Amino acid sequence: ISLSLLKELGELLVDIHGQSDHLSLLNVHSHLGLLDRYASVESMLAAYRKTYQDLLGLRSELESLRAAQRDSEHRTEMLTFQAGEIEAAKLKPGEDEDLRKEGDRLANAESLANLAQQALIFLDEGTSESPASSDLIGQAVQSLGKLAQIDGTQKALAEQSVTLEETLSELARSLRNYIEAIEFNPKRLEEVEERIDLIRRLGRKYGGTIESTIAFSADARKQLETIATAAGRIGELETDETAALDTLSGQGLGLSQKRKETAELMSKSIETELDDLRMAAARFAVDFQTKPAADGIPLPDGTRVAFDGNGLDKVEFLVAPNPGEGLKPLVKIASGGETSRLMLALKNVLARADQVPTLIFDEIDQGIGGRVGGTVGEKLWHLGHAHQVFVITHLPQLAVFGDQHFQVQKVIEQNRTRTKVAKLTGELRTIELAQMLGEVTEGTIRSAHEIQQSAQTFKNGKKAPAI
């Protein structure tokens, strides 16, 4: 498959967040879907989309009818002429082939008559110089009849000669009938040639064959009928369109209300998560926008707004990471430790709404210390109950919360650089955590045991985290 398709599929399966990577939360187009899944508005959205599709169908038919009506006079004149021209010809399927055969016979009537007459002379009439074949065959029949009387074993031979004589006689009769039927009719030939020319001209204009030309005429009549009834049908469709817009308005406003209520709850939950991550002053909000449109959905105040298959709202997540900063689009926040914690808070709150199964956090510990690292570890462990979570980290307070721990090393073997991955358990994991804390000593080993015990105590007390 192409690289672009692989990327598109990958974004549905794996969400990567590093210090310079944009994950799905930085895609503004995904914000509305995340909010809707968080709000559990599936049934409301399905009902809205059903009405939306019905409206699109109505508008499509309306546009076709209005377009036909706009040039109806010219089109009616043209379609009437085309249908009339074809119908006046009274075409019949296969007629052109029959006419070609008749034309060949009429154009070659003299040659056909001469050839048939010559054959008849040889078969049945003869000339002063040569007897007819029928006379010679008759003599042969008489001779073979006498032969069979003498030699009874040759009776079949005599019978064959009789059959040959009868066949020859039948052939001669057929030739006389054919000669009598040959028509020397220049006027009929002219009529046939004109008819063939007419069929060809109609074919060039309307499809190439008699069958396609007849079908063109039928379609023209159907279009004329549509034009004739368009005015009445347009009135019906406009009434249906108004009703559909009113229904869609109610459904769209209901969706917007539910989204806005949910957005407030979600904002509070995310700010609570940020407080846990030592960003107590950070604020989060969901921005709702609508766009005026003359052909949009009518609102109770009389204005009309644009809409699509997802409703009336354009949604974007806003954040203010630090005090004194105004709310800004999520896509414009600076990268660093604050970004990492903000993304983690969002992921933790939106975990049940996010359908991407695998999340990868690369160096999420940048810009945060050990105390916050422990809190981040707790959040990631919670997140791991709704997704598969990979974390690349150098912070032991964070790594200790992983249910599995892998060490990745670069080594040089035989003048080649290789990457080795080893799963760490037991004492090996403790030593690795100690190395993350600093030089391996009794003190760092003891600290590694302590953070392991603290993490395990937390996990034991949080066996069923609410995501």
Side-chain angles (χ1 to χ4, degrees):
I1 62 173
S2 66
L3 188 60
S4 60
L5 178 57
L6 182 62
K7 178 182 177 182
E8 186 176 347
L9 292 172
E11 289 175 350
L12 301 175
L13 300 174
V14 180
D15 201 1
I16 302 176
H17 175 58
Q19 285 303 298
S20 60
D21 294 320
H22 292 292
L23 72 171
S24 63
L25 287 170
L26 298 183
N27 179 6
V28 176
H29 298 294
S30 71
H31 293 180
L32 183 60
L34 288 168
L35 177 62
D36 281 349
R37 288 193 291 274
Y38 186 80
S40 300
V41 294
E42 291 83 2
S43 59
M44 294 177 69
L45 192 57
Y48 172 90
R49 285 174 174 167
K50 171 64 169 59
T51 308
Y52 175 75
Q53 291 300 325
D54 292 344
L55 178 63
L56 291 185
L58 288 170
R59 286 188 163 179
S60 176
E61 187 177 353
L62 262 173
E63 179 56 32
S64 297
L65 290 173
R66 285 168 177 162
Q69 192 178 51
R70 281 193 293 270
D71 60 350
S72 61
E73 183 176 345
H74 170 72
R75 188 161 180 77
T76 298
E77 182 179 343
M78 181 182 68
L79 290 171
T80 301
F81 170 79
Q82 291 172 333
E85 183 181 33
I86 296 170
E87 291 166 358
K90 298 181 180 179
L91 299 175
K92 298 177 183 178
E95 177 186 5
D96 50 346
E97 184 62 28
D98 294 338
L99 286 170
R100 276 192 289 272
K101 292 178 180 178
E102 184 181 358
D104 289 341
R105 290 195 300 271
L106 288 167
N108 297 280
E110 186 175 351
S111 296
L112 294 173
N114 289 336
L115 292 170
Q117 187 62 47
Q118 288 177 11
L120 185 60
I121 289 172
F122 290 130
L123 287 172
D124 199 45
E125 295 178 358
T127 65
S128 58
E129 300 173 356
S130 174
S133 298
S134 58
D135 293 338
L136 295 174
I137 293 296
Q139 295 175 16
V141 169
Q142 290 180 4
S143 298
L144 287 172
K146 292 177 181 179
L147 184 151
Q149 289 177 357
I150 299 171
D151 184 358
T153 61
Q154 298 303 312
K155 184 178 180 181
L157 194 63
E159 291 174 350
Q160 289 179 15
S161 67
V162 172
T163 301
L164 179 58
E165 183 180 34
E166 292 173 350
T167 301
L168 198 63
S169 178
E170 180 63 30
L171 179 58
R173 282 195 298 273
S174 297
L175 271 173
R176 288 190 177 90
N177 292 335
Y178 177 74
I179 292 170
E180 291 176 2
I182 292 176
E183 185 178 6
F184 295 88
N185 191 340
K187 183 178 180 181
R188 175 57 185 164
L189 177 59
E190 184 179 352
E191 291 174 354
V192 169
E193 289 175 344
E194 289 177 353
R195 181 69 174 173
I196 290 174
D197 183 61
L198 173 63
I199 292 172
R200 286 174 179 167
R201 283 192 291 105
L202 291 175
R204 284 194 296 269
K205 292 172 67 175
Y206 303 118
T209 66
I210 288 179
E211 290 76 7
S212 61
T213 302
I214 293 173
F216 189 98
S217 175
D219 183 64
R221 287 297 178 193
K222 185 177 180 181
Q223 290 184 56
L224 284 169
E225 183 179 349
T226 300
I227 291 172
T229 58
R233 179 60 178 158
I234 286 174
E236 294 175 5
L237 290 173
E238 286 175 342
T239 301
D240 293 342
E241 180 189 26
T242 300
L245 281 169
D246 289 341
T247 301
L248 207 59
S249 176
Q251 293 171 330
L253 289 171
L255 262 176
S256 295
Q257 182 62 31
K258 179 67 174 177
R259 287 166 174 166
K260 290 173 181 176
E261 292 173 356
T262 302
E264 292 183 9
L265 297 175
M266 186 175 76
S267 297
K268 292 178 181 178
S269 298
I270 290 173
E271 289 174 357
T272 299
E273 292 285 329
L274 291 172
D275 189 14
D276 293 341
L277 294 169
R278 305 300 189 271
M279 291 180 67
R283 291 186 299 130
F284 179 91
V286 181
D287 180 53
F288 287 83
Q289 295 289 337
T290 56
K291 183 179 179 181
D295 61 345
I297 285 180
L299 299 182
D301 61 4
T303 61
R304 288 180 176 267
V305 296
F307 63 98
D308 57 22
N310 295 314
L312 321 182
D313 308 306
K314 298 299 179 184
V315 166
E316 185 171 9
F317 294 165
L318 306 178
V319 293
N322 303 304
E325 296 182 2
L327 289 164
K328 297 178 182 178
L330 186 63
V331 297
K332 293 183 179 180
I333 61 173
S335 61
E338 289 176 345
T339 304
S340 300
R341 282 179 279 174
L342 178 60
M343 294 305 167
L344 179 58
L346 287 167
K347 281 292 185 184
N348 218 29
V349 171
L350 297 174
R352 67 182 176 87
D354 194 343
Q355 295 179 332
V356 179
T358 300
L359 307 178
I360 301 176
F361 292 91
D362 185 10
E363 303 290 355
I364 196 174
D365 51 25
Q366 291 294 316
I368 61 176
R371 182 180 299 178
V372 177
T375 304
V376 170
E378 295 173 4
K379 301 294 183 184
L380 289 169
W381 185 77
H382 274 281
L383 195 58
H385 287 77
H387 301 266
Q388 183 182 41
V389 179
F390 289 88
V391 180
I392 297 94
T393 182
H394 295 282
L395 194 66
Q397 290 88 345
L398 195 161
V400 74
F401 281 92
D403 291 329
Q404 298 185 72
H405 191 152
F406 295 87
Q407 181 192 55
V408 183
Q409 286 184 313
K410 280 186 179 180
V411 297
I412 299 176
E413 294 179 350
Q414 298 177 351
N415 295 322
R416 292 193 62 186
T417 301
R418 299 180 182 274
T419 300
K420 286 189 174 182
V421 179
K423 183 177 181 180
L424 304 179
T425 58
E427 194 61 26
L428 289 176
R429 185 178 187 185
T430 303
I431 293 172
E432 176 65 16
L433 291 170
Q435 283 183 326
M436 289 182 176
L437 289 166
E439 185 179 351
V440 178
T441 63
E442 289 185 8
T444 56
I445 291 289
R446 185 168 54 255
S447 295
H449 278 297
E450 289 175 355
I451 61 174
Q452 280 181 294
Q453 184 177 3
S454 176
Q456 191 59 48
T457 300
F458 173 82
K459 290 181 180 181
N460 291 340
K462 303 284 186 179
K463 290 184 178 179
I467 300 297

